[in-house]
């Protein structure tokens, strides 16, 4: 039996749980028309919280409503890819004659009557992002549809290109075009970008933090794919797996996959499979999640985290401050940095806890070594 679970970043799960409200909110914004708030949305969340697969899901929702989608990642050259590949490609799907006529209206004559598509394409690239987006949304609007642009891994490094895209999106909003924008990134990266003066529309965008998923939803995300693939799962076995995930989306898939593969052709998942599968999944979590999440942390960030790891539950700020032998301001500055980096989160007044599951255990077992 093929393994139904998908423990890979960016790969949509067999069942996406706990996000229906957000998806409905987005779909409604497309129906509601220009000016609807959720037509500019940003999802934030730690590594493995499901940002990329949320983008996949909103793209699917948009397509269901007949919209066309440009899906990009904020790596160098993304605006160029939109201008030279995505937009001309989408425009090509329309009546080329209509595109040619309108383009001539925007940018001036385009050679003699029978310009080839490659001439049109070159002209389109020169017309730029804003003109192409205007042209496409005009054509789409005639069919009651629009354009969704998604941008994954928003980061300050691409601030110049982000400004270019943001300016176009902002204009399109002002002109009440059928256009929507959904971005995703770590909260720290997003707040860096959102505070840029030029990117005002991003500041006004709806921001949603993708956190952990409730037990009921986790149970469904595991049970349904298992049963749909012909195997049974007793309640206590399922509970063991649910417990192991701690509601962390990536672990839903990793636990599911590692448990499944123990005996893929057995009619029932055993308690033994569940326990050993969870252990196996947790062993892999360090290199898949904790190590990369800590890659940008400074030495001081790490000492702060290690000071927290001495507690079995949430840490009191006063204790951390004492353990590090620093003053209140210093400690609270690092607290803010680590919250923004989605490594820790405030739990109640004066307390913080780890934001990634099993990070405490990881830090404890690596404290002496290379950290
Ligand atoms: N709501 C969810 N329900 C079930 N699995 C999920 C959910 N969200 C994410 N996943 C799974 O978690 C993993 C990480 O998702 P991804 O979108 O790549 O995270 P991010 O982009 O935030 O790092 C993927 O294997 C994905 O299938
Ligand atoms: Mg991602």
């Amino acid at each position: 039996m093929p393994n139904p679970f998908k423990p890979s970043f960016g790969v949509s799960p067999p069942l996406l749980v706990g996000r229906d409200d957000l998806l409905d909110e987005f779909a409604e914004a497309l129906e509601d028309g220009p000016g609807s708030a959720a037509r500019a949305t940003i999802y934030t969340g730690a590594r493995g919280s499901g940002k990329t697969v949320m983008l996949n899901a909103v793209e699917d929702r948009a397509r269901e409503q007949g919209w066309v989608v440009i899906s990009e990642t904020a790596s160098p050259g993304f605006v160029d890819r939109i201008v030279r590949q995505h937009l001309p490609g989408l425009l090509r799907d329309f009546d080329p004659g209509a595109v040619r006529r309108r383009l001539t209206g925007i940018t001036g004559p385009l050679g003699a009557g029978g310009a080839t598509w490659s001439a049109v394409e070159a002209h389109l690239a020169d017309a730029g992002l804003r003109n192409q987006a205007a042209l496409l949304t005009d054509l789409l609007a005639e069919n009651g549809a629009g354009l969704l642009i998604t941008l994954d891994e928003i980061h300050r490094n691409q601030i110049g290109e982000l400004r270019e895209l943001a300016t176009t999106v902002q204009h399109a909003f002002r002109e009440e075009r059928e256009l929507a924008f959904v971005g995703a990134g770590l909260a720290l990266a997003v707040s860096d970008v959102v505070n840029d003066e030029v990117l005002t529309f991003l500041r006004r965008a709806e921001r949603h933090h993708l956190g952990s998923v409730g037990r009921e939803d986790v149970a469904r995300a595991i049970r349904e794919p298992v049963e749909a693939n012909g195997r049974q799962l007793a309640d206590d076995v399922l509970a063991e797996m649910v417990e192991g995930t701690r509601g962390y989306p990536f672990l839903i898939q990793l636990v599911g996959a590692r448990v499944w593969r123990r005996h893929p052709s057995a009619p029932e998942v055993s308690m033994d499979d569940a326990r050993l599968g969870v252990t196996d999944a947790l062993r892999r979590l360090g290199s898949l999640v904790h190590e990369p999440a800590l890659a940008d942390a400074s030495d001081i960030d790490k000492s702060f985290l290690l000071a927290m790891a001495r507690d079995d539950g949430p840490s009191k700020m006063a204790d951390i401050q004492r353990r590090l032998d620093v003053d209140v301001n210093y400690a609270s500055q690092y607290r803010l940095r680590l919250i923004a980096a989605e490594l820790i989160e405030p739990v109640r007044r004066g307390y913080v806890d780890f934001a990634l599951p099993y990070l405490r255990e990881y830090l404890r077992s690596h404290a002496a070594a290379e950290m």
Side-chain angles (χ1 to χ4, degrees):
M1 268 296 188
N3 200 322
F5 295 98
K6 303 282 180 239
S8 303
F9 291 96
V11 179
S12 293
L15 185 65
L16 184 80
V17 291
R19 311 295 191 216
D20 290 349
D21 290 351
L22 288 178
L23 288 170
D24 290 345
E25 185 187 310
F26 170 75
E28 278 161 25
L30 296 192
E31 281 165 18
D32 287 350
S36 172
R39 281 189 170 208
T41 293
I42 301 180
Y43 298 117
T44 61
R47 180 176 172 81
S49 61
K51 299 179 295 299
T52 303
V53 302
M54 260 316 263
L55 295 183
N56 295 346
V58 298
E59 290 166 10
D60 289 345
R61 287 289 185 104
R63 288 193 190 97
E64 280 166 21
Q65 296 192 26
W67 281 49
V68 301
V69 175
I70 292 178
S71 176
E72 262 298 339
T73 298
S75 60
F78 75 85
V79 168
D80 219 46
R81 292 193 292 276
I82 294 175
V83 171
R84 294 182 188 282
Q85 294 164 22
H86 295 290
L87 283 169
L90 290 167
L91 283 163
R92 181 171 204 164
D93 295 341
F94 285 92
D95 171 17
V99 171
R100 194 180 300 126
R101 274 192 305 280
R102 286 178 193 237
L103 189 57
T104 295
I106 296 171
T107 62
L110 178 64
T116 59
W117 181 256
S118 61
V120 174
E121 213 164 8
H123 213 66
L124 278 171
D126 290 343
L129 184 59
R130 191 175 157 192
N131 284 330
Q132 286 195 67
L135 191 52
L136 182 60
T137 47
D138 272 351
L139 291 165
L140 287 166
E142 287 168 13
N143 304 309
L147 169 67
L148 165 66
I149 299 177
T150 69
L151 191 64
D152 202 0
E153 291 176 30
I154 288 180
H155 201 278
R156 170 142 213 113
N157 293 349
Q158 262 60 63
I159 196 86
E161 294 196 45
L162 272 165
R163 285 186 185 140
E164 215 176 322
L165 178 63
T167 310
T168 292
V169 174
Q170 220 155 301
H171 274 297
F173 280 7
R174 214 170 294 146
E175 292 167 1
E176 308 213 318
R177 295 186 173 280
E178 293 292 339
L179 186 132
F181 172 84
V182 183
L186 292 176
L188 179 63
V190 167
S191 64
D192 268 0
V193 163
V194 162
N195 291 326
D196 184 277
E197 291 160 17
V198 182
L199 303 177
T200 47
F201 105 90
L202 281 184
R203 202 171 319 144
R204 286 195 298 265
E206 299 262 309
R207 242 186 287 176
H208 295 289
H209 186 260
L210 302 179
S212 57
V213 171
R215 288 168 159 276
E216 296 285 303
D217 283 327
V218 176
R220 223 159 45 81
I222 295 175
R223 183 193 285 281
E224 286 186 22
V226 166
E227 292 181 350
N229 284 272
R231 297 180 69 193
Q232 297 303 305
L233 199 57
D235 287 345
D236 58 335
V237 173
L238 178 61
E240 183 76 16
M241 293 172 71
V242 171
E243 192 66 34
T245 69
R246 294 193 184 170
Y248 176 52
F250 179 59
L251 266 181
I252 299 175
Q253 302 307 314
L254 192 59
V255 164
R258 302 314 293 181
V259 169
W260 178 278
R261 70 180 291 283
R262 298 197 63 79
H263 296 101
S265 49
E268 192 162 341
V269 179
S270 71
M271 185 54 110
D272 230 33
D273 288 344
R275 291 206 174 111
L276 294 169
V278 168
T279 309
D280 182 12
L282 298 184
R283 203 169 33 230
R284 286 158 195 273
L285 204 57
S287 61
L288 292 170
V289 171
H290 299 133
E291 239 174 69
L294 289 169
D296 292 333
S298 69
D299 287 345
I300 301 167
D301 291 334
K302 285 177 190 164
S303 354
F304 190 110
L305 296 170
L306 286 169
M308 282 176 64
R310 285 161 62 179
D311 297 311
D312 291 326
S315 302
K316 203 172 176 176
M317 278 303 293
D319 290 340
I320 300 172
Q321 192 195 322
R322 196 168 32 73
R323 287 171 194 162
L324 293 173
D325 193 22
V326 295
D327 65 32
V328 183
N329 288 336
Y330 192 86
S332 57
Q333 208 180 312
Y334 277 89
R335 171 182 170 277
L336 288 177
R337 272 172 56 97
L338 290 164
I339 291 172
E342 313 225 27
L343 289 167
I344 70 171
E345 55 196 12
V347 277
R348 55 183 183 274
R349 211 184 149 74
Y351 283 81
V352 287
D353 202 355
F354 291 105
L356 282 173
Y358 300 98
L359 182 55
R360 181 192 329 279
E361 290 83 342
Y362 177 84
L363 289 163
R364 283 178 179 174
S365 64
H366 290 73
E370 70 277 22
M371 295 252 336

